[in-house]
């Protein structure tokens, strides 16, 4: 990853950085006439063949990112966070690359297991697990259930039934503020997830679980937030979690064998943005773990991490066609055929993307434009402050890199536009993973008329 094969010189007339492919999949190459190929397939050909909007997923990039994790974290369980993006092919790729899976619903769990993923390598999360979630977890034999609140202890034990025993972990809130946006910070006590370290509720829950013969407490879990680009908050979390493990050891004589530090590893959406250094994270976590366990007189637990975005995000590219261009005062609005129904992230978190004109070469001066969607609200923005050629016009194609995580998994049926297809590209071949959602799909659910 990172090094791109350059097949053509940077086109003359483009400002520095405008042709930067650093956030694109490693397989991306420049083709003549301003086109790009990903996974050996031309993006404008994909747009013609599958229509737009469409999402392209580079299999080699997903697999490469899984391998980067396996190499960086050799003695750690790496669980892919399915919420970032899940499909049957994704399940297979992640399984073949030796990762585990983090799921947070019966739906994600059933899809994974029915696609051949071993249930014992799956961890189930959720702050409000439904009866169906728990039923599926126990029926399919999920590896771990992460207890998120005190009421789950008796509920899960009752669901396990006499003679049964389920492996569980406890989600702890270590009191750390980290993450790219308020809505994705989960390490402090003012949000809905987990049990507080500070007020003793985590320790209290642990004591109750240890007294519950149908539950086997394998370890502790925390997930401090998402889109974190520094190692430091993870080290602070690690030390606090080991501190709690030491207190559990003192109070109950139990050395918990596992410590799951969640995901949240930050990536760049636009060239030049900071990225979490995974090698540094792995090295410093390992050193910090050994040191704090030695200081606490604890055996070193097995670590787990749960990356979602950093596996799937950079492997995806969204393709749109420009439908309208409007100039109002100082602003240029470039409206495309998708929008917040396929990518609600800018509207929710104010995230910035770097769309790029593909399929024709423009020599026009770049202008700052706002790329908007086709939905009926003003907040339907896909890319604020995008640098696009000044002659952008209806019919042009835009490609948005880093579109693989939390876009389609959060897509909606707003305005009955329908969710785009997902096309896997690999070694010059394009395969449909998910077809486009059609009016017939909407009609078939609408059975009340
Ligand atoms: N583990 C747990 C328990 C989580 O809740 C999450 C994400 C992850 C792992 C994976 O985090 P990642 O490595 O992907 O950052 N929709 C938001 C992100 C929400 C993250 C929710 N939990 C976004 O689009 O930025």
């Amino acid at each position: 990853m990172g090094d791109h094969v350059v097949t053509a010189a940077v086109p003359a007339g483009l400002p520095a950085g405008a042709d930067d492919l650093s956030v694109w999949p490693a397989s991306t190459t420049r083709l003549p006439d301003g086109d790009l190929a990903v996974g050996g397939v031309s993006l404008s050909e994909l747009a013609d063949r599958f229509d737009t909007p469409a999402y392209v997923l580079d299999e080699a990039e997903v697999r490469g990112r899984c391998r980067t994790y396996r190499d960086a974290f050799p003695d750690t369980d790496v669980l892919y966070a399915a919420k970032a993006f899940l499909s049957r092919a994704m399940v297979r790729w992640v399984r073949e690359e030796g990762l585990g899976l983090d799921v947070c619903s019966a739906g994600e769990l059933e899809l994974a297991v029915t696609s051949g993923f071993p249930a014992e390598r799956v961890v189930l999360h959720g702050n409000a697990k439904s009866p169906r979630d728990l039923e599926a977890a126990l029926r399919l034999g999920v590896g771990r259930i992460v207890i998120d609140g005190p009421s789950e202890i008796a509920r899960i034990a009752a669901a396990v039934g006499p003679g049964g025993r389920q492996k569980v972990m406890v989600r702890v809130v270590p009191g750390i503020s980290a993450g790219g946006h308020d809505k994705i910070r989960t390490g402090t006590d003012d949000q809905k997830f987990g049990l507080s370290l500070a007020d003793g509720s985590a320790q209290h829950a642990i004591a109750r679980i240890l007294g519950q013969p149908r539950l086997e407490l394998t370890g502790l879990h925390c997930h401090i937030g998402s889109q974190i680009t520094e190692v430091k908050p993870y080290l602070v979390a690690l030390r606090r979690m080991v501190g709690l493990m030491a207190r559990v050891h003192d109070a109950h004589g139990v050395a918990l064998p596992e410590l799951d530090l969640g995901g949240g590893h930050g990536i760049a959406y636009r060239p030049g943005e900071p990225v979490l250094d995974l090698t540094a994270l792995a090295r410093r976590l390992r050193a910090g773990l050994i040191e704090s366990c030695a200081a606490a007189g604890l055996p070193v637990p097995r670590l787990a991490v749960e990356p979602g975005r950093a596996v799937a995000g950079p492997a995806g590219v969204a393709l749109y066609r420009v439908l309208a261009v409007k100039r109002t005062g100082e602003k240029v609005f470039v409206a495309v055929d998708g929008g917040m129904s396929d990518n609600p992230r800018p509207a929710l978190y104010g995230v910035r993307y770097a769309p790029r004109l593909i399929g024709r070469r423009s020599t026009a001066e770049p202008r700052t434009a706002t790329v908007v969607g086709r939905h009926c609200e003003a907040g339907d923005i896909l890319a604020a402050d995008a640098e696009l050629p000044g002659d952008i016009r209806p019919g042009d194609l835009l490609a948005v890199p880093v579109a693989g995580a939390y876009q389609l998994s959060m897509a909606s049926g707003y305005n009955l536009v329908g969710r785009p297809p997902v096309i896997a590209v690999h070694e010059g071949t394009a395969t449909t993973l998910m077809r486009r959602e059609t009016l017939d799909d909407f009609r078939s659910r609408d059975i009340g008329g």
Side-chain angles (χ1 to χ4, degrees):
M1 279 161 286
D3 289 334
H4 294 90
V5 184
V6 178
T7 54
V10 174
L14 278 177
D19 201 39
D20 188 330
L21 294 180
S22 59
V23 299
W24 285 73
S27 71
T28 308
T29 56
R30 296 179 180 85
L31 299 176
D33 300 323
D35 197 6
L36 292 178
V38 174
V41 185
S42 141
L43 292 183
S44 40
E45 275 177 37
L46 284 174
D48 287 344
R49 188 170 149 204
F50 295 97
D51 205 358
T52 52
Y55 276 67
V56 179
L57 197 61
D58 182 347
E59 177 181 340
E61 186 73 20
V62 172
R63 288 184 184 274
R65 285 179 174 269
C66 294
R67 281 175 210 161
T68 300
Y69 269 100
R70 297 274 354 112
D71 294 347
F73 291 88
D75 302 316
T76 299
D77 289 320
V78 181
L79 315 173
Y80 169 63
K83 67 205 86 186
F85 174 73
L86 201 65
S87 73
R88 290 191 292 155
M90 193 74 185
V91 169
R92 179 165 58 82
W93 301 341
V94 166
R95 173 175 54 77
E96 287 172 359
E97 296 304 332
L99 272 57
L101 208 60
D102 141 7
V103 300
C104 60
S105 68
E108 289 177 356
L109 176 60
E110 296 260 7
L111 182 87
V113 173
T114 55
S115 308
F117 206 91
E120 66 273 12
R121 271 167 49 197
V122 182
V123 172
L124 174 72
H125 287 284
N127 71 301
K129 297 175 192 77
S130 70
R132 224 190 114 219
D133 295 333
L134 288 182
E135 182 279 319
L138 297 175
R139 172 171 43 84
L140 297 170
V142 77
R144 309 274 182 281
I145 299 177
V146 181
I147 292 181
D148 197 280
S151 63
E152 286 189 344
I153 301 169
R155 248 184 98 201
I156 298 174
V160 166
R165 196 156 158 83
Q166 171 64 44
K167 289 191 166 120
V168 296
M169 302 185 87
V170 170
R171 177 154 176 177
V172 177
V173 185
I176 294 160
S177 182
H181 189 277
D182 271 352
K183 289 176 188 153
I184 54 175
R185 291 192 187 117
T186 49
T188 51
D189 285 337
D190 53 0
Q191 51 77 51
K192 68 176 183 173
F193 293 102
L195 288 142
S196 169
L197 182 71
D199 73 3
S201 30
Q203 212 172 330
H204 185 66
I206 290 167
R208 283 181 53 209
I209 296 167
L210 289 172
Q212 178 48 262
R214 294 180 195 168
L215 304 180
E216 177 186 342
L217 183 64
T218 65
L220 305 184
H221 173 278
C222 70
H223 171 77
I224 54 178
S226 207
Q227 189 57 359
I228 298 168
T229 53
E230 283 172 3
V231 172
K232 183 115 185 280
Y234 289 102
L235 287 176
V236 180
L238 176 96
R239 278 190 217 107
R240 293 193 186 166
M241 298 295 281
V242 172
L244 178 55
M245 285 182 144
R247 288 201 288 286
V248 170
H249 186 245
D250 291 346
H252 307 282
V254 174
L256 296 171
E258 294 175 4
L259 177 57
D260 184 335
L261 293 175
H265 309 161
I267 59 172
Y269 283 88
R270 296 186 300 174
E273 287 179 354
V275 183
L276 182 65
D277 179 344
L278 293 181
T279 317
L281 177 71
R283 186 172 31 83
R284 292 176 64 192
L285 282 181
R286 176 65 42 201
L289 184 66
I290 290 169
E291 191 190 298
S292 39
C293 286
L298 282 179
V300 175
R302 185 163 175 86
L303 270 187
V305 290
E306 302 173 338
R309 185 193 317 267
V311 171
V317 176
L319 299 177
Y320 302 101
R321 201 168 289 278
V322 175
L323 296 179
V325 177
K326 192 183 278 176
R327 295 186 167 80
T328 53
E330 284 300 289
K331 285 219 154 200
V332 182
F333 289 102
V334 175
V336 299
D337 52 3
M340 66 195 298
S341 63
D342 67 85
N343 183 8
R345 301 194 65 254
L348 277 172
Y349 320 112
V351 187
R352 301 284 179 80
Y353 286 84
R356 176 187 172 108
L357 171 68
I358 53 161
R360 87 176 159 89
R361 177 89 70 214
S362 169
T363 51
E365 279 294 305
R367 281 199 61 169
T368 305
T370 308
V371 178
V372 295
R374 52 165 299 171
H375 294 281
C376 290
E377 59 179 86
D380 176 25
I381 292 172
L382 279 175
D385 301 328
E387 288 290 300
L388 289 170
D391 64 349
I392 195 101
R393 55 191 184 233
D396 277 342
L397 280 176
L398 292 186
V400 183
V402 204
Y406 302 112
Q407 296 190 196
L408 287 183
S409 65
M410 296 174 73
S412 73
Y414 194 26
N415 297 147
L416 302 198
V417 165
R419 288 175 286 180
V422 184
I423 316 298
V425 290
H426 190 55
E427 294 175 349
T429 305
T431 316
T432 306
L433 298 187
M434 290 188 190
R435 63 164 175 77
R436 185 180 303 285
E437 194 172 29
T438 63
L439 186 53
D440 279 342
D441 293 318
F442 288 107
R443 276 207 195 100
S444 67
R445 292 184 58 229
D446 186 347
I447 54 176

